[in-house]
Amino acid sequence: MKRPRRPRSSGRSAAWFLIGLAAGCWLGRRAPWEPETVQASRQIVNQVSEAIISADQSNTIVMANPAAATLFGTSVEHMVGRPLGQYIEAPVDAGDDGQPVDYFRPGPGRAGRRATDYTVTGVRVDGERFPIEGSVSGADTGTPFYTVVLRDVSERRRVQEKLTRSHDQLRQLSAALQTIREEERTHIARELHDDLGQLLASLRMDLTLLQQADGTPRDSLRLMRGMEDNLLTAIASLRRIATNLRPRALDEGGLYFALQGLRDDFVERYAIPTTLLADEAELRLDDAASTAIFRIVQEALTNIARHAEATRVMMNLFRLNSDLLITIRDDGRGIRPKDMEKAESLGLIGMRERVWAMKGEITIAADEPHGTRIDIMLPLHGHLV
């Protein structure tokens, strides 16, 4: 029984041999092949959907298929014999003695979908420049020549640019929302402390005076003492809420004292020994940077309290030139990769967004031998006071 033919693949390893074979025959640099083989090779080259160009070491095009002619808006006859640089923009540093392989060299932003692909700039006959992705393969049939496979990636580039713009807009929105949130927290904290706090303090003073008045029945005094205890509890709760919204130490003492207060409160609430290594002189920053760093550390401690099952925490903040390096480590169960990919991990997302808003870098990973380590690098240019 006769097997059905497999469909031909374009621009793949099976076609490379035939492409080179056809190009070699056209160049006439090897012994003549059978006419049927040459004809079959030419048909494959002409029928593939990807653009194929062959050029010699002087960058002169010796072969092009119809797909290449369509890509550059011209004809095969017009392309053959013309310089490769007329259709593919040569790198600035290629030099006059550059070869086709010099058009496709590793460099920033040049990698394509495969490791052998590089993104370059194509030039149509009307002068329009457009992004193309291609790979080059060399062959030596007496005199070296090169075969290039090209693909138009204009649409992919437009989609990537659109996604990048959308991503940048989301980042800007996130930063704006963080700023608005901090402003509202500050406003509410001040209202609670200045208005409600003073009112409760005034009520306590009045209650103390009533207790000291002569002739007050014993039952009334007992009731007043209970009222005073409730007032003290309310005042303590108010201070805790206001501090969580916006610690006064951040405004009155600066970042260093705010972190000390955060550490002390963490130890008191969760009984987890915590070490803070920092220098007050290195943490004299403006309000925006101080608030962002405080919230990052606060979120890290919250995650440790909720998930780490740690028995010890170490926080280290120090300046290196114009960068602030932050390391937060615990000896808990260690974070897993899937924990960082959870959609509900809003705390980690918030930390990353604050770091990225300051143009910094953050790494969160399991520590050795156990626990979790957070490393953050924040550039402080423009934030020092």
Side-chain angles (χ1 to χ4, degrees):
M1 181 177 179
K2 189 176 181 180
R3 294 182 180 179
R5 292 184 178 178
R6 294 181 179 178
R8 294 167 178 162
S9 60
S10 60
R12 297 297 182 263
S13 58
W16 275 111
F17 172 75
L18 295 175
I19 292 169
L21 176 63
C25 293
W26 289 339
L27 289 171
R29 293 181 176 133
R30 296 192 66 172
W33 295 83
E34 294 295 329
E36 295 82 0
T37 305
V38 174
Q39 185 66 27
S41 301
R42 289 180 177 176
Q43 288 178 358
I44 292 177
V45 173
N46 290 334
Q47 290 175 6
V48 294
S49 59
E50 293 181 330
I52 300 174
I53 298 174
S54 286
D56 59 23
Q57 60 182 352
S58 64
N59 291 330
T60 300
I61 298 175
V62 297
M63 185 275 290
N65 68 345
T70 302
L71 180 65
F72 295 104
T74 183
S75 64
V76 172
E77 294 76 12
H78 190 269
M79 293 185 70
V80 174
R82 294 185 179 273
L84 183 64
Q86 185 172 331
Y87 301 99
I88 302 176
E89 199 171 78
V92 177
D93 58 347
D96 297 333
D97 57 347
Q99 297 180 355
V101 71
D102 294 319
Y103 285 65
F104 302 88
R105 293 181 301 182
R110 296 176 68 93
R113 287 181 300 178
R114 297 189 296 266
T116 56
D117 292 343
Y118 300 97
T119 302
V120 294
T121 301
V123 184
R124 293 193 171 94
V125 292
D126 60 1
E128 178 190 358
R129 282 170 166 74
F130 64 104
I132 53 178
E133 183 182 276
S135 54
V136 61
S137 176
D140 191 350
T141 57
T143 302
F145 73 96
Y146 303 86
T147 301
V148 183
V149 179
L150 301 169
R151 292 170 294 277
D152 186 352
V153 293
S154 300
E155 183 61 30
R156 193 199 311 167
R157 179 70 61 83
R158 282 192 289 269
V159 172
Q160 289 175 343
E161 291 174 351
K162 187 175 180 180
L163 287 174
T164 300
R165 288 195 299 270
S166 176
H167 191 260
D168 291 341
Q169 290 171 352
L170 288 174
R171 283 277 171 84
Q172 294 172 5
L173 176 61
S174 175
L177 291 176
Q178 294 280 17
T179 301
I180 293 172
R181 184 183 181 186
E182 286 299 334
E183 291 175 350
E184 291 181 346
R185 282 182 172 214
T186 302
H187 174 72
I188 295 173
R190 288 174 179 170
E191 290 288 328
L192 289 174
H193 185 273
D194 295 341
D195 293 345
L196 189 55
Q198 291 181 6
L199 178 60
L200 291 176
S202 177
L203 286 174
R204 187 190 176 201
M205 291 179 62
D206 292 343
L207 188 59
T208 301
L209 293 176
L210 281 175
Q211 288 176 311
Q212 295 174 353
D214 296 333
T216 304
R218 183 174 299 177
D219 292 341
S220 297
L221 287 174
R222 188 183 308 111
L223 181 61
M224 289 178 185
R225 282 193 291 271
M227 293 173 62
E228 184 178 17
D229 291 340
N230 290 335
L231 276 174
L232 288 173
T233 302
I235 292 172
S237 298
L238 180 66
R239 288 175 178 172
R240 187 185 69 254
I241 294 171
T243 300
N244 288 337
L245 288 170
R246 175 75 178 186
R248 294 185 65 84
L250 201 57
D251 298 320
E252 298 174 354
L255 177 60
Y256 176 75
F257 295 100
L259 291 176
Q260 279 191 326
L262 180 63
R263 186 269 315 273
D264 295 342
D265 180 66
F266 179 80
V267 172
E268 181 181 352
R269 293 182 64 184
Y270 300 105
I272 301 176
T274 302
T275 302
L276 173 63
L277 302 177
D279 186 348
E280 179 187 356
E282 294 184 348
L283 297 181
R284 294 173 181 169
L285 309 174
D286 62 13
D287 182 68
S290 296
T291 301
I293 295 168
F294 179 86
R295 295 303 182 193
I296 290 169
V297 176
Q298 184 182 46
E299 189 59 50
L301 291 178
T302 300
N303 287 336
I304 291 172
R306 290 177 177 175
H307 310 293
E309 301 176 4
T311 61
R312 185 170 297 277
V313 179
M314 190 277 290
M315 300 184 295
N316 192 0
L317 295 86
F318 66 96
R319 288 258 299 278
L320 182 63
N321 298 325
S322 60
D323 296 332
L324 179 66
L325 304 182
I326 304 173
T327 300
I328 303 172
R329 303 173 63 179
D330 67 71
D331 62 352
R333 62 182 182 84
I335 194 168
R336 297 167 295 179
K338 64 179 183 180
D339 295 331
M340 293 184 284
E341 301 300 328
K342 291 180 180 178
E344 61 269 21
S345 300
L346 299 180
L348 297 179
I349 294 174
M351 289 174 60
R352 290 193 183 103
E353 289 298 325
R354 290 184 185 275
V355 171
W356 290 335
M358 292 186 64
K359 313 298 182 185
E361 299 176 0
I362 179 171
T363 302
I364 305 174
D367 198 9
E368 295 294 340
H370 52 80
T372 300
R373 175 173 179 146
I374 302 173
D375 290 302
I376 300 170
M377 188 280 294
L378 297 175
L380 297 182
H381 180 69
H383 294 292
L384 300 176
V385 295

